[in-house]
Amino acid sequence: MLDIRRIRTDPDGVKAAIARRGDGTESLDEVITIDARRRELGAERDDIRARVNALSKQVGGLRRDGRTDEAEALQDESRQLGERERELNTEVDEIAGRVRDILLTVGNIPADECPDGDSEHDNVITRVEGYDPDSYADHQRVPHWDIATELGILDVDRAVKMSGAMFVMYRGMGARLVRALIDYALDRNRDAYEEIRPPTVVKTETMISTGHLPKFADDAYHLERDDLWAIPTAEVPLTSIGRDEVFVEAELPMKFMAHTSCFRREAGSAGRDTRGLLRVHEFDKVELLSYATPEQSAEVHADILARAESVMVELGLAYRILDLCTGDIGNSSARTFDIEAYAPGADRWLEVSSVSWFSDYQARRANIRYRPAVGKGTTVIHTLNGSGLAVPRVWAALVETHRRPDGSIRLPEALHPYLGGLTEIPAPG
RNA sequence: GGAGACGUGGCCGAGCCCGGUUGAAGGCGCUUCCCUGCUAAGGAAGUAACGUCGUAAGGCGUUCGUGGGUUCAAAUCCCACCGUCUCCGCCA
């Protein structure tokens, strides 16, 4: 959520920033108008309240002194004021709610450095690592869904039977590889990130804090009976750890990581990327998340990106890093780098990590603040997060990349400690 | 799910029966200063957040779990909800 005061003091600057996203700015105009009205009416209401408070005090004194007649006169006056106060209050509340509703749908202001652009086609590829299109042999040009069938490590048909399209079920070594990837990713980051195992079903308020609601309700699973939401990412519960709390600067940056299942309805993408693990409704992910001061945020952003990147290196995958343009970054984000792993069998770049700096956008929604070491008052913190490792697509790229001519899969050394000494998924037969 | 008790400031804790001078006693913690070879102990002062107006000093408003209600006036009375604890039930 944007700071209403910033919108007030620099309306043109804010509108220009939102326009960079390709979003309309009409709602901002409306906010500016009704916010002015809100303050006007609010001031009037507060003046009346001040009068009522003063009168009530006088009434108390008069009654103590037994001057009942005088007290009753003042009570009458106060009663009259009360009616007007109620009217004003109702109106102010209404407008304030309206302001909030609108602000909840306005996206974050992109960072100055965020490249301009309309869509994913304008994202800037900042780096490509380990990728040589001519280096892949025929045995690596087999898509993971075929490999998986051959090795019996992924069973899509059975998952579809029990849960429907775009659900998957790992089997045998496939399932074990999932577990190894998760453990590896957690251990890889435990030097700096506290491991959390949060709830995966959360309240509406928790989804609003990250920006997943109200705008993107269609993308999430909703348990209507209990009004709870299945999290699309651990970012959701992790961001709310500090909701409505005030930290001291010395505690920052705070760093959390969590492995959770992630649930996505993928509304609007029916029929797209449906093969194998390209896009699924439920998947495992290790997420890294940090609360930081504004000054710390750049360094933390770089840290998360470096950690996500090192996973690609250690797993022996080719990857590239994208600097997402203003038209493609998420609604809550001010700057996002994506990591895409190359899957030679599917011959596609798969988004495996999205590393974002949300500035104070989420923290203002969640009301997470800190007390600066010097000076008075509180400041809204910054939140940052990124996937430490998103399982399905890494699993896919890994299986395709490390397939040997005989059909076996070489498992990278980094995973060996998590596989009980196994170093490969044996060839079929 | 049933019954009972409770929810006050950074923390502990009074106030609630009997509404007004209580933004809230007292204590702890924290900050500054004084005293003091050092430390400890002791003394003094200060110490909430948010909104709004103001260049500022400061003014006004809101906040005693949340939301409603009664009243001239609510931490205090009434209702609903949420949460915590205890007992019972159920249970991986």
Side-chain angles (χ1 to χ4, degrees):
Chain A
M1 192 160 59
L2 299 182
D3 185 353
I4 182 71
R5 278 168 298 195
R6 179 163 178 187
I7 298 174
R8 216 140 68 196
T9 47
D10 182 23
D12 294 335
V14 171
K15 281 196 272 185
I18 296 305
R20 288 180 70 205
R21 287 182 163 276
D23 292 348
T25 56
E26 306 77 24
S27 56
L28 285 169
D29 287 325
E30 188 186 351
V31 161
I32 291 164
T33 306
I34 65 178
D35 170 62
R37 179 88 181 129
R38 196 207 96 229
R39 282 178 295 145
E40 192 183 312
L41 295 175
E44 195 183 331
R45 178 199 59 186
D46 286 353
D47 285 348
I48 292 176
R49 278 184 177 166
R51 282 281 297 150
V52 170
N53 287 343
L55 285 171
S56 296
K57 244 173 201 160
Q58 288 178 42
V59 168
L62 290 170
R63 286 205 173 276
R64 247 191 321 280
D65 299 343
R67 295 152 73 182
T68 315
D69 289 352
E70 291 171 65
E72 275 170 9
L74 292 186
Q75 281 176 222
D76 282 343
E77 188 185 345
S78 186
R79 204 171 336 201
Q80 309 261 327
L81 289 170
E83 277 171 39
R84 177 72 182 139
E85 195 252 66
R86 249 188 300 279
E87 282 170 24
L88 284 167
N89 195 40
T90 306
E91 204 169 341
V92 169
D93 282 354
E94 214 172 84
I95 297 174
R98 196 74 184 297
V99 168
R100 184 174 165 81
D101 286 348
I102 295 171
L103 286 183
L104 283 178
T105 64
V106 175
N108 197 3
I109 291 173
D112 291 341
E113 307 78 35
C114 188
D116 284 299
D118 297 328
S119 72
E120 56 183 336
H121 304 294
D122 300 316
N123 293 338
V124 177
I125 299 171
T126 59
R127 221 141 37 81
V128 181
E129 302 285 348
Y131 175 64
D132 174 2
D134 301 325
S135 70
Y136 296 97
D138 286 347
H139 63 267
Q140 290 174 292
R141 291 297 189 182
V142 180
H144 64 274
W145 48 87
D146 289 339
I147 298 172
T149 304
E150 183 180 61
L151 295 175
I153 54 178
L154 187 69
D155 189 338
V156 176
D157 293 344
R158 260 61 170 263
V160 169
K161 178 167 67 179
M162 56 184 93
S163 300
M166 293 171 75
F167 283 90
V168 297
M169 181 173 93
Y170 302 91
R171 305 187 69 141
M173 276 304 291
R176 189 155 187 188
L177 179 56
V178 169
R179 200 152 48 87
L181 286 169
I182 292 163
D183 277 351
Y184 155 71
L186 289 171
D187 280 350
R188 179 70 189 69
N189 296 297
R190 69 173 356 106
D191 59 303
Y193 288 75
E194 180 190 357
E195 184 172 350
I196 305 288
R197 180 69 219 191
T200 43
V201 170
V202 299
K203 294 182 186 176
T204 297
E205 189 59 31
T206 306
M207 289 283 279
I208 286 176
S209 292
T210 44
H212 289 91
L213 289 177
K215 215 174 171 180
F216 305 103
D218 286 348
D219 295 328
Y221 288 101
H222 186 206
L223 287 69
E224 291 187 14
R225 185 185 171 97
D226 296 297
D227 193 20
L228 292 169
W229 302 79
I231 59 168
T233 158
E235 166 192 342
V236 171
L238 292 184
T239 298
S240 275
I241 286 177
R243 197 167 74 219
D244 293 321
E245 294 192 40
V246 182
F247 299 103
V248 295
E249 182 168 351
E251 295 177 280
L252 301 171
M254 297 176 84
K255 297 179 174 182
F256 307 109
M257 63 176 172
H259 156 239
T260 66
S261 290
C262 302
F263 303 91
R264 301 187 179 180
R265 288 188 69 234
E266 300 292 353
S269 61
R272 264 183 20 213
D273 306 331
T274 49
R275 302 301 304 273
L277 294 169
L278 295 179
R279 186 179 295 277
V280 291
H281 285 311
E282 177 183 352
F283 62 96
D284 291 278
K285 179 161 62 68
V286 171
E287 185 77 1
L288 306 178
L289 183 139
S290 176
Y291 298 162
T293 66
E295 296 73 33
Q296 293 165 342
S297 60
E299 189 184 333
V300 171
H301 198 191
D303 176 62
I304 297 174
L305 181 63
R307 285 168 183 274
E309 193 179 342
S310 75
V311 165
M312 295 297 105
V313 172
E314 290 180 15
L315 295 181
L317 302 178
Y319 64 95
R320 63 184 187 184
I321 296 178
L322 273 51
D323 189 351
L324 297 199
C325 74
T326 51
D328 199 37
I329 53 171
N331 203 250
S332 301
S333 178
R335 187 97 191 272
T336 296
F337 295 102
D338 271 7
I339 297 180
E340 294 184 340
Y342 182 67
D347 188 24
R348 307 175 49 140
W349 292 93
L350 306 178
E351 181 191 330
V352 294
S353 182
S354 204
V355 183
S356 298
W357 169 52
F358 301 98
S359 61
D360 60 8
Y361 184 88
Q362 293 182 324
R364 182 167 293 107
R365 286 168 168 252
N367 187 29
I368 311 171
R369 293 167 295 161
Y370 75 98
R371 229 173 270 286
V374 293
K376 285 179 69 85
T378 60
T379 306
V380 179
I381 63 154
H382 281 199
T383 56
L384 304 104
N385 73 247
S387 334
L389 193 158
V391 169
R393 292 175 184 167
V394 168
W395 190 102
L398 189 143
V399 162
E400 293 178 10
T401 301
H402 297 312
R403 186 163 185 265
R404 296 194 185 106
D406 66 355
S408 65
I409 311 293
R410 182 180 71 79
L411 295 168
E413 217 168 288
L415 294 178
H416 291 179
Y418 304 97
L419 292 162
L422 298 175
T423 60
E424 63 164 18
I425 300 176

